[in-house]
Amino acid sequence: MEALPEGFKIELLSGVFVATPPSTLRRIGIKERIYRQLLHQLQPPIAPMQRTAVGLLDGDDYAIPDVVVVDLNEEGPDGNEWITSPDEVYLAVDVAPHSAGAGQVLDRAVMHAAFGVPLYLFADPRDGSLILHSTPTGSVYTPMNRMHFGDTVKFPFPLEGTVIKTDTFTIDS
């Protein structure tokens, strides 16, 4: 098996290994803005984390969202697990990589819903869109709130009162 170039992220989405190349500076900037806004609003033990794997400990699939919001008090009995249980996660956030296809985007939303992650935010710098998924039932989120860069994302339960301002996010040109 040939090694991937340095910096690639490997995930197992719906039984398929997905390799994502390193992010562009624009995408890194959006991830950092989201992370910092969450960091300044959330109170311990609720905290944002970056590049944290989320999956069922007894399953094969896992994702590595760009940002997750976790309850650090819910850490399982073995705090050394490299996969975070979805029970500990309030929000998963992904910023679309330049190469993401519609299938990969849908797989991420379906997987997070199936895991029972209450909120999933997807930001796409290619067209300046945001989709906030909430209320997972099975492998589907209902409703989905579609927004655009410039809008303020207002999170429902379990992060009500938390917002992300997107007026500084930029669209790929």
Side-chain angles (χ1 to χ4, degrees):
M1 181 174 177
E2 190 174 318
L4 288 171
E6 189 173 328
F8 272 67
K9 174 172 74 171
I10 304 297
E11 300 171 288
L12 187 57
L13 303 174
S14 301
V16 176
F17 282 104
V18 176
T20 305
S23 292
T24 63
L25 286 178
R26 180 168 292 136
R27 284 171 175 71
I28 291 169
I30 291 171
K31 293 175 206 180
E32 283 298 313
R33 286 178 182 93
I34 292 170
Y35 173 78
R36 289 181 184 164
Q37 288 183 55
L38 291 168
L39 184 65
H40 286 71
Q41 295 176 68
L42 300 172
Q43 300 298 315
I46 309 305
M49 309 290 278
Q50 296 185 53
R51 295 191 58 99
T52 301
V54 176
L56 300 175
L57 299 180
D58 59 353
D60 292 328
D61 288 340
Y62 67 91
I64 305 174
D66 293 315
V67 177
V68 294
V69 172
V70 298
D71 184 341
L72 296 176
N73 278 341
E74 294 297 320
E75 191 175 291
D78 181 4
N80 294 323
E81 288 288 341
W82 67 273
I83 294 182
T84 303
S85 169
D87 296 341
E88 302 165 19
V89 178
Y90 291 108
L91 165 69
V93 178
D94 279 312
V95 178
H98 188 69
S99 61
Q104 185 181 350
V105 170
L106 180 60
D107 284 348
R108 291 176 185 284
V110 167
M111 179 177 287
H112 289 300
F115 286 164
V117 173
L119 301 169
Y120 176 61
L121 179 64
F122 185 80
D124 193 340
R126 295 172 296 186
D127 63 3
S129 65
L130 298 152
I131 303 174
L132 176 60
H133 301 270
S134 60
T135 317
T137 303
S139 60
V140 177
Y141 280 106
T142 55
M144 293 186 303
N145 186 2
R146 295 180 185 277
M147 296 165 277
H148 298 282
F149 289 4
D151 295 339
T152 297
V153 178
K154 297 176 183 177
F155 292 103
F157 178 84
L159 294 177
E160 64 273 25
T162 305
V163 299
I164 299 294
K165 296 182 180 178
T166 67
D167 53 329
T168 61
F169 295 8
T170 57
I171 299 172
D172 286 350
S173 39

